[in-house]
Amino acid sequence: TPASPSPFSSLLILFFDRSKMAIPFIYDHLEPKQIRLFQLDHSSPSEHLTGRLVVLRHPTHLDQTIENYRGMCRNWRDMNFVKKPGEAYGYDALSYTWGPQLETFPLKLQLTGKLYEDGILYSNGVVRHEDIIDIHRNLYEFLCRLRKARYKRFIWIDAICINQNDHRDKSMQIPLMRYVYHEARQVKIWLGVATPVEEEALASIPFLTEKLATQSPGYDWDTEFPDKFESAGVPAPTHPVWRALGLLMTRSWFERLWTLQEAILWEKSSVVYCGDEQISWETLELFVSSMDNARLADWTIIQSVDTDTGVSNGYEAVSLIKDCKILLTNDGWRLPLDFLLHVIRRRSVTRPADMVFGMLALMAHEEKSRITVDVSLPVERVYFEFARYYILNELDECILNHNSSQTRRESLPSWCPDFSSPENTVPLASKFLYGREVSRDHFSTNFRAGFNKDGQWAKPMKKDRQYTYVKDMPHFARMYQEGKYDLSHPDFMHVVSDVMQLNVSGVLIDKIAIVIKPTDGLKRMVYRWTANDLEKIVAWDKECLSLARKTLQTDVEILNAYGRTLVANSLEASDGGGVLWDEYGRADYCHAYKEVRAYLDLLIPHWATNYATSVPLPKELSSEVLFFFHRFITVTRNRCFFATANGRIGIGPADTQPGDDVRVIIFCPTPYILREQGSVYEFIGEAYVDGMMYGQALEMVDQGNLTKERFTIA
């Protein structure tokens, strides 16, 4: 029996009141591949939340090293508990967002030992340590929901199972998260508490999915005509359920990077919780597909939010997760670097460095072991190290074409992307658009301003190309190609690590002469356009066309060249299913441009001052013209229009200035705007320069009209 505390020790307890001192909870030390699992007590709703932690060795089947197999054999009871089928076995994992961190709630937590009975995991009741930890409101609300349901399974929750105050613990546990979610028996997705109408909206998703799916693919869901909705048996456009759906699909869970990782990696069942309602993930996927087919997804988003933040919403996130799961299976249980680089920029994190650590969790074991970063490094160094690795290992999707961002850290080198900020423009030479791969016409080629398909300026291939087995795979071994290009070639980019600079080979092709700044009327979602936006777009277009007329030679088809520049040389593919790049300049852009201008001129007088209605696209516009219209919106948003000293036109970064260089970098796909800063150059961004996108600068070097040189980008 423990001795009663002395009066002096009681005074000490009162004096050192934990609620006033915020003493961190003392976690136990974990060995490699060990994790903690949490079990919630069934206390009364009027009492504080309580629970316990146990430690087990995770099987991590995706790691097929000898050391891992030995560890699993030594801890076979842990492996058996995780893998054995049945309700009593395995653990669940929570996927949620931390939310606002101003308000905290106490959780009384115990560290206990474990025991197994008939292969089932229990706490042995031996308490090694007991104290209070603080949890934030969103997690507190979910645990209260579990307590109300008398939930008794073990569950993995990052805020509880990882020591958030210990860099060493986080460095060990974060890489294990891919295994934790992959092996979880069920992943519980917590969107947060909900209003009654939001709970009604979640509950109505199966009904709405069924009704949307029963209509023909070409059914006109015109939100201006309620009878269209009524005849289909769904609520009228003014019904609050639609706005509530938009609110659900803009919950922070759908935009976070860590939740993307968690959703991609689970292999078993998952359930979406919001308030007191719940649906399966599969049901949510079907709903998103039905809403996309009906073209109602963006409309519901507009009903609920006032601005486009550039981050992912629920419709985009669910589709992206589905695509990622397919890629993981097809590409050796890893996401390709080029895909990762694009999709993460529309996600958000609390700690900026987590943008890179989240990507590492989705990379192959062999790849991430080559990147020397940890959570103790400054954010800028973490970003640089990932960018350096990317440059050396992914040459087909150039990192320089992903440099644009809404905000930027001043201490980053100008060429290195700020991974924590969404891209401010759509990359011109990317094969991805808003997280989806752009299908392309098989007979066309994306830009290659700095290289050719073959000959002297082709990307040099290694003669002894290597193939490596991917080890961390769930079911079978796949080979992926590495060492594709000969990086020892003198014209390849060279990263100077100590000063975080790029040394490159390139060609100065022109100087910026005149710049027309971007219009703020071009919003990504057409639903947001107002009459004022349309007037700004038309005025900007007239100013740009006037500059094009003054700049281009009289023997050039000015309207055709101007229209081609507005859409960055892209057409609708012949099968209507993707993009065709007009490499040989044979297409007619003049007709589509004239049709779009006539449409905009016609639309302005009839446009309502509020933007809650859909754009009344004329029925007579052809698919070719509609494609031109949408590409015009996508390509020119947040970009300037410019003329060069040598009589060329193009589009480039918003902060392009007269006097800036237009340069082609060897083995990179587009021209780039650079600004001379003494002996080095500041990187401004990618550009489209009409007539210089397919190796023309390299031909001029061969002819002696331009000179290749080596220079440094800081």
Side-chain angles (χ1 to χ4, degrees):
T1 304
S4 300
S6 67
F8 178 73
S9 63
S10 298
L11 286 173
L12 285 177
I13 292 172
L14 290 173
F15 182 76
F16 293 105
D17 185 353
R18 187 184 180 283
S19 65
K20 296 181 177 62
M21 295 209 46
I23 300 173
F25 181 82
I26 302 175
Y27 282 84
D28 49 356
H29 171 75
L30 295 183
E31 299 298 327
K33 302 296 175 67
Q34 285 186 332
I35 65 168
R36 306 177 184 96
L37 293 179
F38 173 69
Q39 188 177 47
L40 182 66
D41 287 336
H42 298 160
S43 55
S44 167
S46 61
E47 299 176 350
H48 288 314
L49 292 170
T50 60
R52 64 196 53 80
L53 289 174
V54 299
V55 175
L56 79 163
R57 210 262 189 199
H58 198 277
T60 57
H61 279 76
L62 299 180
D63 181 0
Q64 298 184 358
T65 60
I66 295 297
E67 293 78 10
N68 186 52
Y69 278 120
R70 288 173 178 168
M72 289 193 292
C73 291
R74 288 193 298 268
N75 298 272
W76 64 270
R77 290 185 178 85
D78 293 344
M79 182 181 69
N80 183 64
F81 170 73
V82 171
K83 300 296 292 184
K84 191 171 182 178
E87 177 64 25
Y89 302 95
Y91 63 90
D92 297 335
L94 177 62
S95 180
Y96 73 113
T97 62
W98 283 27
Q101 301 181 33
L102 299 176
E103 188 177 13
T104 60
F105 299 84
L107 168 65
K108 186 178 181 182
L109 193 59
Q110 297 176 339
L111 296 180
T112 70
K114 66 184 178 186
L115 60 85
Y116 285 101
E117 293 183 3
D118 299 326
I120 301 174
L121 175 65
Y122 296 93
S123 165
N124 64 7
V126 178
V127 179
R128 300 198 305 273
H129 180 66
E130 182 179 54
D131 208 337
I132 302 292
I133 69 169
D134 294 324
I135 58 175
H136 301 113
R137 173 172 285 279
N138 197 36
L139 176 56
Y140 173 77
E141 299 281 4
F142 181 72
L143 292 180
C144 288
R145 191 188 196 283
L146 290 186
R147 180 171 64 177
K148 182 180 178 181
R150 302 192 66 78
Y151 175 83
K152 61 181 180 180
R153 289 177 55 78
F154 283 95
I155 186 169
W156 190 90
I157 302 172
D158 62 349
I160 300 174
C161 298
I162 298 177
N163 184 356
Q164 301 295 330
N165 298 310
D166 184 355
H167 286 319
R168 183 182 181 279
D169 197 70
K170 289 164 67 177
S171 295
M172 288 179 60
Q173 292 293 290
I174 289 174
L176 293 178
M177 287 174 63
R178 68 180 303 178
Y179 306 114
V180 169
Y181 283 93
H182 178 71
E183 297 286 1
R185 190 61 47 90
Q186 183 183 86
V187 173
K188 298 181 179 296
I189 301 166
W190 174 241
L191 300 183
V193 295
T195 63
V197 69
E198 288 173 327
E199 290 181 345
E200 178 189 350
L202 190 71
S204 69
I205 281 179
F207 166 79
L208 291 174
T209 303
E210 179 184 358
K211 292 297 183 182
L212 291 170
T214 56
Q215 300 303 316
S216 62
Y219 189 81
D220 185 12
W221 294 93
D222 194 329
T223 56
E224 290 296 289
F225 297 95
D227 58 309
K228 294 280 188 180
F229 284 65
E230 293 171 5
S231 62
V234 299
T238 55
H239 194 285
V241 70
W242 297 110
R243 183 176 185 276
L245 285 169
L247 289 170
L248 287 175
M249 301 304 276
T250 52
R251 291 288 181 113
S252 59
W253 187 91
F254 293 109
E255 69 181 50
R256 304 292 284 180
L257 177 62
W258 287 116
T259 55
L260 171 70
Q261 172 203 325
E262 295 155 8
I264 291 171
L265 293 174
W266 72 59
E267 195 175 55
K268 304 178 180 69
S269 68
S270 53
V271 179
V272 180
Y273 297 84
C274 191
D276 291 331
E277 290 291 338
Q278 65 187 66
I279 60 171
S280 70
W281 179 262
E282 292 74 15
T283 300
L284 183 62
E285 271 190 348
L286 290 173
F287 170 71
V288 167
S289 178
S290 297
M291 291 290 284
D292 284 341
N293 292 336
R295 299 186 178 181
L296 291 174
D298 283 353
W299 171 71
T300 62
I301 297 296
I302 299 302
Q303 308 306 302
S304 56
V305 295
D306 296 329
T307 58
D308 181 13
T309 61
V311 296
S312 180
N313 61 53
Y315 298 105
E316 296 171 350
V318 173
S319 298
L320 175 62
I321 289 165
K322 185 177 180 180
D323 291 345
C324 288
K325 284 178 175 289
I326 295 172
L327 271 174
L328 278 176
T329 303
N330 294 341
D331 208 34
W333 204 244
R334 61 191 280 273
L335 285 181
L337 271 175
D338 56 354
F339 186 77
L340 275 175
L341 179 68
H342 187 73
V343 301
I344 66 148
R345 299 293 293 280
R346 288 179 56 74
R347 317 296 295 188
S348 61
V349 292
T350 302
R351 292 179 290 265
D354 283 350
M355 275 295 184
V356 167
F357 294 115
M359 283 192 286
L360 294 180
L362 295 169
M363 292 167 59
H365 179 74
E366 289 83 359
E367 288 181 313
K368 62 186 178 185
S369 63
R370 300 172 191 159
I371 305 178
T372 54
V373 294
D374 62 64
V375 295
S376 64
L377 289 175
V379 174
E380 293 77 11
R381 194 70 198 184
V382 172
Y383 285 5
F384 168 78
E385 290 295 338
F386 181 82
R388 183 181 68 84
Y389 176 83
Y390 185 97
I391 287 172
L392 297 176
N393 291 274
E394 176 52 65
L395 302 174
D396 293 330
E397 180 89 6
C398 183
I399 199 169
L400 297 181
N401 292 85
H402 292 267
N403 184 267
S404 167
S405 59
Q406 294 182 4
T407 59
R408 185 166 186 83
R409 296 173 178 274
E410 293 183 1
S411 51
L412 273 175
S414 64
W415 59 268
C416 181
D418 188 336
F419 297 110
S420 64
S421 176
E423 290 186 76
N424 204 32
T425 55
V426 172
L428 295 173
S430 177
K431 62 181 179 181
F432 301 104
L433 178 63
Y434 299 131
R436 309 298 297 272
E437 186 165 357
V438 177
S439 58
R440 65 177 180 87
D441 188 283
H442 294 294
F443 301 102
S444 74
T445 305
N446 206 334
F447 305 129
R448 48 176 182 80
F451 58 94
N452 284 329
K453 298 176 183 177
D454 48 39
Q456 174 188 355
W457 300 107
K459 292 181 180 179
M461 309 291 288
K462 268 189 176 179
K463 293 181 180 179
D464 54 340
R465 201 176 309 172
Q466 302 172 2
Y467 291 85
T468 301
Y469 277 101
V470 178
K471 296 178 182 178
D472 52 348
M473 296 185 53
H475 303 304
F476 56 91
R478 250 180 95 87
M479 290 191 300
Y480 74 93
Q481 187 175 324
E482 68 175 357
K484 182 178 180 181
Y485 296 110
D486 181 7
L487 299 180
S488 65
H489 192 283
D491 284 332
F492 265 129
M493 292 184 194
H494 174 65
V495 183
V496 186
S497 293
D498 54 344
V499 289
M500 297 196 294
Q501 294 178 345
L502 271 185
N503 191 250
V504 301
S505 292
V507 181
L508 172 64
I509 61 173
D510 220 325
K511 290 272 190 179
I512 299 294
I514 302 173
V515 175
I516 298 175
K517 292 299 182 181
T519 173
D520 59 1
L522 280 166
K523 298 181 173 68
R524 184 170 73 89
M525 292 183 178
V526 180
Y527 285 115
R528 296 193 183 281
W529 287 10
T530 65
N532 187 42
D533 291 331
L534 284 175
E535 290 171 353
K536 289 179 179 179
I537 294 168
V538 170
W540 182 80
D541 174 61
K542 288 180 178 178
E543 187 180 4
C544 295
L545 178 57
S546 175
L547 177 59
R549 292 185 188 278
K550 295 175 183 177
T551 303
L552 297 175
Q553 301 297 322
T554 54
D555 59 342
V556 175
E557 297 180 25
I558 293 177
L559 275 187
N560 202 46
Y562 177 66
R564 181 169 56 240
T565 301
L566 291 182
V567 295
N569 198 36
S570 53
L571 297 167
E572 182 182 33
S574 56
D575 60 1
V579 177
L580 182 149
W581 284 275
D582 180 28
E583 179 176 354
Y584 301 103
R586 298 170 180 168
D588 176 20
Y589 292 88
C590 183
H591 169 71
Y593 169 71
K594 287 180 177 179
E595 289 289 311
V596 169
R597 267 302 306 272
Y599 160 58
L600 292 176
D601 289 338
L602 180 68
L603 194 59
I604 289 177
H606 304 288
W607 189 255
T609 55
N610 73 74
Y611 50 76
T613 58
S614 60
V615 174
L617 291 173
K619 304 294 184 184
E620 61 271 15
L621 284 186
S622 66
S623 62
E624 173 194 355
V625 175
L626 286 175
F627 181 89
F628 182 96
F629 175 65
H630 288 296
R631 288 293 290 180
F632 164 64
I633 297 168
T634 302
V635 169
T636 59
R637 190 171 66 92
N638 296 326
R639 284 193 168 100
C640 73
F641 186 87
F642 62 76
T644 69
N646 292 331
R648 300 183 177 97
I649 60 172
I651 52 176
D655 53 348
T656 300
Q657 298 175 6
D660 287 343
D661 285 1
V662 183
R663 290 179 176 259
V664 165
I665 296 175
I666 306 301
F667 304 135
C668 292
T670 65
Y672 302 94
I673 308 298
L674 299 176
R675 188 169 298 152
E676 191 171 358
Q677 302 285 2
S679 60
V680 298
Y681 288 86
E682 178 186 356
F683 185 84
I684 307 302
E686 64 175 355
Y688 174 89
V689 182
D690 195 49
M692 299 298 292
M693 303 304 292
Y694 289 99
Q696 292 91 339
L698 305 179
E699 293 177 12
M700 296 171 74
V701 171
D702 292 337
Q703 296 164 2
N705 298 324
L706 293 177
T707 303
K708 183 185 73 171
E709 59 181 314
R710 198 79 179 170
F711 55 92
T712 299
I713 305 174

